[in-house]
Amino acid sequence: MKMIKVGVAGFGVIGQRLADGVASQKDMELVGVADVSPTLSVRALKEKGLPYALYTAVPENKKLFDELGIPVSGTLEELVQKCDVILDATSAGVGAKNKELYAKYNKKAIFQGGEKNNVADVFFHGYANYEKGIGKQFLKLTSCNTTGLIRAVDCIDREVGVEKVAITIIRRVADPGDYHRGLTNALQVDKAPSHQALDLMTIMPHVDATGILVHTPVTHGHIITVLATPKKDISKEQLLEMFSKHPRIRVVKLADGFLGNASLFRYARDLGNPRGDMYEIAVFEESIVKSGKDIMFAINIPQEAVVIPENIDAIRAAMEMQTDRLEGVAETNKYLGMGKWME
């Protein structure tokens, strides 16, 4: 079995989780990670024994690592040359600049949701359009909210078809540990339609989607309410059966104590998941209601980790490790331990 060599550019919220995700894949090798300076994440990596080789994205910053006794294996450019594919988890806009480096060495790269769509050959989602990513050089992932939203809508669409969806996103304002948004006591409404609805239509052009987004002063996850119009009338029980079969969707009950985003974050920590991460979205069973043919439900989006499985899918598609959609996502799920709650 040929091991696909993978590098991660950017070792922040997403990058460190991508590194862990790749390291768990038995058919991939994590060559190393790169960052611009000795951030807290990099310092923690050193304190953990530096399980991943570290590269500097800014060569002149090597002295900053040296001063702290953090070994550096080389530059980002050197890391790129050693890899088959790079997962770019740098800040929005930086990935587009890094693309020139990836193209220089004819390497494949996968960008995150913060980059503009024109950075890539295809706007990618593992379940919804895996086939479009097969063999492509540059792929771009959807944002955390869009990733989870598409999982749920695609699940219904493949069973009975979906005509349209209307969504409301109750969006966490910042990640845990961030200070740049300030201390707030307010809700903020964005101009409609939200980009997540537009992005869904880019991935699933046959579905009419619109949506509203509300920023909330919390950090642990988003909640999305979805009002879907399926092409075939379905009951609540049928929808629950669809979701319950999906290894990246966890059905939870308010009656069991899953009252919202904080309950799920706490549960992830109780499970012993590193950083309290959850790869799956959660559907609140008691939120499912019918209105004529329409059906409504609410999902939880764990924003720090939800995109990791789709990034792994993107590697599989771009490198043609699996050319069948279900085979590709199944391999990712297996190594990430997805769907264990279904056993």
Side-chain angles (χ1 to χ4, degrees):
M1 179 176 64
K2 181 181 183 297
M3 296 286 282
I4 299 299
K5 298 182 181 297
V6 184
V8 176
F11 196 67
V13 171
I14 299 298
Q16 56 186 306
R17 290 167 170 83
L18 289 175
D20 290 349
V22 170
S24 73
Q25 306 293 301
K26 303 303 182 187
D27 49 2
M28 299 180 191
E29 176 190 346
L30 179 65
V31 177
V33 301
D35 213 336
V36 296
S37 64
T39 62
L40 290 182
S41 298
V42 170
R43 293 174 191 226
L45 185 70
K46 190 249 184 181
E47 194 168 326
K48 288 193 292 186
L50 211 66
Y52 310 138
L54 180 64
Y55 293 75
T56 175
V58 181
E60 54 267 33
N61 281 356
K62 183 177 182 297
K63 61 181 182 295
L64 301 177
F65 295 89
D66 292 341
E67 289 170 0
L68 294 169
I70 302 175
V72 172
S73 298
T75 65
L76 173 60
E77 185 163 5
E78 290 170 329
L79 174 62
V80 170
Q81 294 176 69
K82 296 176 182 178
C83 297
D84 300 309
V85 58
I86 295 288
L87 292 175
D88 192 294
T90 57
S91 301
V94 177
K97 296 177 182 177
N98 288 344
K99 180 181 176 181
E100 298 176 10
L101 180 61
Y102 309 146
K104 175 182 176 180
Y105 293 103
N106 195 30
K107 302 294 184 176
K108 299 193 176 187
I110 293 151
F111 302 93
Q112 304 309 302
E115 295 296 331
K116 294 183 178 178
N117 291 358
N118 60 11
V119 77
D121 304 313
V122 61
F123 199 14
F124 181 83
H125 188 281
Y127 271 80
N129 68 347
Y130 184 95
E131 296 84 359
K132 289 190 175 181
I134 294 173
K136 295 294 193 298
Q137 183 173 7
F138 299 119
L139 282 68
K140 174 184 152 359
L141 273 290
T142 54
S143 70
C144 53
N145 270 316
T146 310
T147 297
L149 173 65
I150 290 177
R151 280 186 201 169
V153 175
D154 175 74
C155 179
I156 304 170
D157 187 51
R158 290 185 182 274
E159 291 283 344
V160 296
V162 174
E163 292 179 8
K164 60 182 180 179
V165 294
I167 64 173
T168 300
I169 300 175
I170 302 104
R171 183 185 188 276
R172 70 92 181 90
V173 72
D175 285 329
D178 284 348
Y179 290 88
H180 66 283
R181 298 296 178 96
L183 305 176
T184 61
N185 184 29
L187 302 178
Q188 179 181 336
V189 179
D190 271 7
K191 181 181 178 181
S194 67
H195 82 80
Q196 292 85 358
L198 301 178
D199 289 348
L200 183 146
M201 288 191 289
T202 304
I203 298 284
M204 305 176 68
H206 56 286
V207 176
D208 183 17
T210 191
I212 294 171
L213 185 147
V214 181
H215 298 272
T216 60
V218 299
T219 60
H220 293 309
H222 316 283
I223 301 275
I224 305 180
T225 69
V226 183
L227 180 66
T229 305
K231 292 183 178 179
K232 177 184 176 183
D233 193 26
I234 57 173
S235 66
K236 173 179 178 176
E237 291 71 28
Q238 288 173 306
L239 183 61
L240 278 171
E241 184 180 356
M242 294 176 198
F243 286 152
S244 296
K245 293 187 296 184
H246 199 298
R248 295 185 191 174
I249 300 176
R250 179 191 289 258
V251 176
V252 299
K253 295 181 180 181
L254 301 176
D256 290 339
F258 290 102
L259 305 182
N261 61 330
S263 303
L264 284 152
F265 182 72
R266 176 179 174 177
Y267 194 67
R269 288 184 295 174
D270 290 344
L271 286 171
N273 295 356
R275 308 183 189 90
D277 286 346
M278 296 188 91
Y279 296 132
E280 68 272 17
I281 64 171
V283 176
F284 298 95
E285 181 172 326
E286 292 94 333
S287 73
I288 302 175
V289 290
K290 291 269 292 179
S291 176
K293 186 179 177 182
D294 295 341
I295 195 159
M296 189 175 189
F297 55 92
I299 56 178
N300 181 79
I301 309 290
Q303 83 280 356
E304 296 174 291
V306 71
V307 300
I308 305 308
E310 279 73 12
N311 270 272
I312 305 297
D313 296 339
I315 295 173
R316 296 186 178 284
M319 298 305 302
E320 300 182 72
M321 298 173 71
Q322 290 85 29
T323 55
D324 178 84
R325 178 182 70 93
L326 291 179
E327 288 180 7
V329 298
E331 286 296 289
T332 299
N333 293 343
K334 178 176 67 176
Y335 294 131
L336 289 180
M338 302 292 293
K340 288 187 291 187
W341 59 90
M342 300 164 64
E343 296 174 359

Short mmCIF file of all heavy atoms in Angstrom, two decimals, residues 173-175 178-186 216-219:
data_model
loop_
_atom_site.label_atom_id
_atom_site.label_comp_id
_atom_site.label_asym_id
_atom_site.label_seq_id
_atom_site.Cartn_x
_atom_site.Cartn_y
_atom_site.Cartn_z
N VAL A 173 -19.47 33.53 18.14
CA VAL A 173 -18.80 34.74 17.66
C VAL A 173 -17.30 34.54 17.48
O VAL A 173 -16.68 35.21 16.66
CB VAL A 173 -19.09 35.93 18.60
CG1 VAL A 173 -18.35 35.79 19.93
CG2 VAL A 173 -18.75 37.26 17.93
N ALA A 174 -16.70 33.63 18.25
CA ALA A 174 -15.26 33.39 18.17
C ALA A 174 -14.95 32.01 18.71
O ALA A 174 -15.77 31.40 19.40
CB ALA A 174 -14.48 34.45 18.96
N ASP A 175 -13.77 31.51 18.39
CA ASP A 175 -13.34 30.23 18.94
C ASP A 175 -12.90 30.39 20.39
O ASP A 175 -12.50 31.49 20.80
CB ASP A 175 -12.17 29.67 18.13
CG ASP A 175 -12.61 29.11 16.79
OD1 ASP A 175 -13.74 28.60 16.72
OD2 ASP A 175 -11.83 29.17 15.83
N ASP A 178 -10.02 32.96 21.78
CA ASP A 178 -9.87 34.16 20.96
C ASP A 178 -10.31 35.40 21.72
O ASP A 178 -11.29 35.37 22.47
CB ASP A 178 -10.70 34.05 19.67
CG ASP A 178 -10.06 33.13 18.65
OD1 ASP A 178 -8.89 32.77 18.84
OD2 ASP A 178 -10.72 32.77 17.66
N TYR A 179 -9.61 36.49 21.49
CA TYR A 179 -9.95 37.76 22.12
C TYR A 179 -10.27 38.85 21.10
O TYR A 179 -10.73 39.92 21.47
CB TYR A 179 -8.79 38.24 22.99
CG TYR A 179 -8.57 37.41 24.23
CD1 TYR A 179 -7.74 36.29 24.20
CD2 TYR A 179 -9.18 37.73 25.43
CE1 TYR A 179 -7.54 35.52 25.33
CE2 TYR A 179 -8.99 36.96 26.57
CZ TYR A 179 -8.16 35.87 26.52
OH TYR A 179 -7.96 35.10 27.64
N HIS A 180 -10.02 38.57 19.82
CA HIS A 180 -10.09 39.65 18.82
C HIS A 180 -11.50 40.18 18.59
O HIS A 180 -11.66 41.27 18.05
CB HIS A 180 -9.49 39.18 17.49
CG HIS A 180 -10.27 38.08 16.83
ND1 HIS A 180 -10.21 36.77 17.25
CD2 HIS A 180 -11.13 38.10 15.78
CE1 HIS A 180 -10.98 36.02 16.49
NE2 HIS A 180 -11.56 36.80 15.59
N ARG A 181 -12.54 39.42 18.98
CA ARG A 181 -13.90 39.92 18.82
C ARG A 181 -14.35 40.76 20.02
O ARG A 181 -15.43 41.33 20.01
CB ARG A 181 -14.89 38.75 18.63
CG ARG A 181 -14.64 37.90 17.40
CD ARG A 181 -14.83 38.69 16.11
NE ARG A 181 -14.54 37.88 14.94
CZ ARG A 181 -15.44 37.23 14.22
NH1 ARG A 181 -16.71 37.26 14.59
NH2 ARG A 181 -15.09 36.53 13.16
N GLY A 182 -13.55 40.80 21.06
CA GLY A 182 -13.90 41.60 22.23
C GLY A 182 -14.90 40.91 23.12
O GLY A 182 -15.35 39.79 22.87
N LEU A 183 -15.24 41.58 24.21
CA LEU A 183 -16.23 41.06 25.15
C LEU A 183 -17.57 41.71 24.80
O LEU A 183 -17.71 42.92 24.83
CB LEU A 183 -15.83 41.43 26.59
CG LEU A 183 -14.42 40.95 26.99
CD1 LEU A 183 -14.08 41.44 28.39
CD2 LEU A 183 -14.33 39.44 26.93
N THR A 184 -18.56 40.86 24.48
CA THR A 184 -19.82 41.40 23.95
C THR A 184 -21.01 40.93 24.76
O THR A 184 -20.96 39.92 25.44
CB THR A 184 -20.03 40.97 22.49
OG1 THR A 184 -20.09 39.53 22.44
CG2 THR A 184 -18.90 41.46 21.60
N ASN A 185 -22.08 41.70 24.67
CA ASN A 185 -23.36 41.32 25.27
C ASN A 185 -24.45 41.71 24.30
O ASN A 185 -25.31 42.54 24.58
CB ASN A 185 -23.55 42.03 26.62
CG ASN A 185 -24.84 41.59 27.32
OD1 ASN A 185 -25.28 40.46 27.12
ND2 ASN A 185 -25.44 42.48 28.08
N ALA A 186 -24.36 41.13 23.09
CA ALA A 186 -25.28 41.53 22.03
C ALA A 186 -25.39 40.42 21.00
O ALA A 186 -24.53 39.56 20.90
CB ALA A 186 -24.77 42.81 21.36
N THR A 216 -23.71 35.24 17.98
CA THR A 216 -24.02 35.19 19.41
C THR A 216 -22.73 35.18 20.22
O THR A 216 -21.73 34.61 19.79
CB THR A 216 -24.84 33.93 19.75
OG1 THR A 216 -24.06 32.77 19.41
CG2 THR A 216 -26.14 33.89 18.99
N PRO A 217 -22.72 35.81 21.41
CA PRO A 217 -21.50 35.91 22.21
C PRO A 217 -21.18 34.63 22.98
O PRO A 217 -21.13 34.61 24.21
CB PRO A 217 -21.80 37.08 23.15
CG PRO A 217 -23.28 37.03 23.33
CD PRO A 217 -23.83 36.57 22.00
N VAL A 218 -21.02 33.52 22.24
CA VAL A 218 -20.62 32.24 22.82
C VAL A 218 -19.47 31.69 21.98
O VAL A 218 -19.17 32.21 20.90
CB VAL A 218 -21.79 31.23 22.86
CG1 VAL A 218 -22.93 31.76 23.71
CG2 VAL A 218 -22.29 30.92 21.45
N THR A 219 -18.82 30.62 22.45
CA THR A 219 -17.67 30.08 21.72
C THR A 219 -17.80 28.61 21.34
O THR A 219 -17.11 28.16 20.42
CB THR A 219 -16.38 30.25 22.55
OG1 THR A 219 -16.51 29.55 23.79
CG2 THR A 219 -16.08 31.71 22.80
#
